Amino acid sequence: MRPARRVIIDADPGIDDVVTITLAARSPEISLVGVTTTYGNAPLALTTRNARIALMLAGRPDIPVLPGADRPRSRPLATAPETHGKSGIGYASAVPAVPLAPAPHHTVLLDLLDAVPPPVTLVTIGPLTNLAAALEADAPFVLSRVGYHIGMFGSIHERGNANRWADFNAWCDPEAADIVVRSEMPIHMVGLDVTRQMTVTAAEVTALGRSPQELARWLGAALQFYVEFHRSQERLDGCVINDVLTIGDLVAPGMLGFESKDIRIDLDETQHRGHTREGGPSPRQVAMSVDTHTMRHLLSRVFGRGWWAQHRQEGLA
Ligand code: BDR
Ligand code: CA
């Protein structure tokens, strides 16, 4: 087996974020060296707390969680309580309690990158505010430390989820996304074109509630809220767990099919805010196909073996 790759996750937990963080913590191919947080699906204090709870339940309370930005660079703060619940984790319990008042720290990624031997794989699954701040402060240093970056943001053809065109992460802080896309950072963009295909059904989420494993039950309670949101918003009898594909592709390289595309971020104030348009300055790798079968199999690491057995019984595997 290859040595585990050192990974930092920058996240805004978030229901799909906590599934992703716990999957990374439970994956031997990955050495998760830290999680940095940002506002996004919930305010910073809650996203930071949610990351800590997720790591505790995954059996890795030792992994540091460091708070970063508490707002976008120049836009008003917006969160997503209708999608993720006021707590950011739907109906999942917020115990064990952890302190709720982190001081925002805008260059948190620089500190963590400084503390970890390179090369580091950076996984961004929230607004890109922390990464943009790090690049602005010291781009050569960031580039010397980050060997690979994969980020959930954007959409090429798929309808947006924040407005007609944009995904939530690019929409939250388009100026930050613009800085990242125009930088020399290596970028593998995982957008709605592929994440919309990564669904779990309402019945599967209900079954998680009966799992003997505490982590699976906790994730199930979070996902139950997500299912209700998707049902009311788009009549989907399940939910889309966007962020997991980033870790999935690190653990099972080739799971995502990337194409080279020139992308730029629309800084429009209205309906194109955060739109990842084609026609940017340099080619980026953009995920345009996904092997969801492999991804679903990997999820048994956090959803439990019963999850995969259920698939087999139902002829889905
Ligand atoms: C992204 O926005 C958030 O709601 C999810 O956590 C994901 O990172 C999808 O557009
Ligand atoms: Ca997220």
Side-chain angles (χ1 to χ4, degrees):
M1 194 173 177
R2 284 179 308 177
R5 65 199 292 169
R6 278 182 294 280
V7 169
I8 294 173
I9 299 182
D10 185 61
D12 63 333
I15 295 171
D16 53 339
D17 301 76
V18 290
V19 180
T20 307
I21 289 168
T22 54
L23 176 62
R26 287 273 175 101
S27 291
E29 302 85 351
I30 283 176
S31 167
L32 183 58
V33 293
V35 175
T36 54
T37 54
T38 170
Y39 73 90
N41 290 322
L44 180 68
L46 295 177
T47 58
T48 306
R49 179 202 64 177
N50 296 343
R52 286 196 173 127
I53 298 172
L55 287 169
M56 274 187 226
L57 289 172
R60 295 299 309 273
D62 54 303
I63 295 173
V65 176
L66 305 167
D70 66 348
R71 62 196 58 244
R73 297 173 66 81
S74 54
R75 313 260 176 169
L77 174 64
T79 57
E82 67 293 342
T83 315
H84 295 262
K86 276 195 189 134
S87 67
I89 45 175
Y91 299 125
S93 141
V95 290
V98 281
L100 262 182
H105 181 54
H106 295 277
T107 50
V108 65
L109 268 177
L110 285 184
D111 292 351
L112 189 52
L113 286 170
D114 202 19
V116 176
V120 170
T121 293
L122 177 63
V123 178
T124 56
I125 54 175
L128 290 153
T129 316
N130 286 338
L131 178 52
L135 285 167
E136 207 170 45
D138 195 344
F141 175 75
V142 175
L143 294 172
S144 72
R145 295 278 166 155
V146 176
Y148 190 88
H149 167 228
I150 185 164
M152 193 280 127
F153 69 98
S155 179
I156 301 293
H157 303 305
E158 188 65 35
R159 189 179 183 86
N161 60 4
N163 59 25
R164 165 68 184 81
W165 307 99
D167 110 283
F168 181 74
N169 291 339
W171 177 89
C172 268
D173 194 345
E175 285 73 19
D178 177 56
I179 288 172
V180 172
V181 165
R182 285 192 296 104
S183 76
E184 289 173 31
M185 277 291 286
I187 297 178
H188 284 72
M189 176 181 127
V190 181
L192 299 177
D193 303 284
V194 284
T195 71
R196 290 280 322 168
Q197 298 173 49
M198 188 48 234
T199 55
V200 294
T201 68
E204 289 168 338
V205 170
T206 304
L208 289 179
R210 297 191 293 269
S211 170
Q213 296 177 27
E214 186 183 12
L215 174 61
R217 287 197 306 277
W218 186 78
L219 293 174
L223 288 164
Q224 187 61 45
F225 189 94
Y226 226 16
V227 167
E228 289 171 18
F229 166 77
H230 283 83
R231 196 176 276 145
S232 70
Q233 269 316 99
E234 50 191 89
R235 298 196 185 156
L236 176 70
D237 193 34
C239 57
V240 180
I241 42 177
N242 305 279
D243 293 338
V244 292
L245 294 183
T246 55
I247 294 298
D249 196 61
L250 295 182
V251 170
M255 193 193 82
L256 293 172
F258 289 93
E259 292 177 18
S260 185
K261 292 188 184 296
D262 301 331
I263 50 169
R264 65 187 170 90
I265 307 293
D266 202 319
L267 303 179
D268 194 89
E269 293 294 334
T270 56
Q271 57 168 333
H272 283 281
R273 166 179 168 174
H275 182 181
T276 41
R277 288 179 190 269
E278 289 190 76
S282 54
R284 300 309 197 168
Q285 293 303 305
V286 178
M288 296 306 289
S289 63
V290 56
D291 165 11
T292 54
H293 183 271
T294 296
M295 185 69 241
R296 292 169 72 82
H297 194 190
L298 288 174
L299 283 171
S300 59
R301 293 177 177 185
V302 288
F303 289 169
R305 287 181 196 281
W307 145 269
W308 193 246
Q310 187 191 345
H311 273 272
R312 287 194 182 286
Q313 266 172 14
E314 291 170 8
L316 294 168

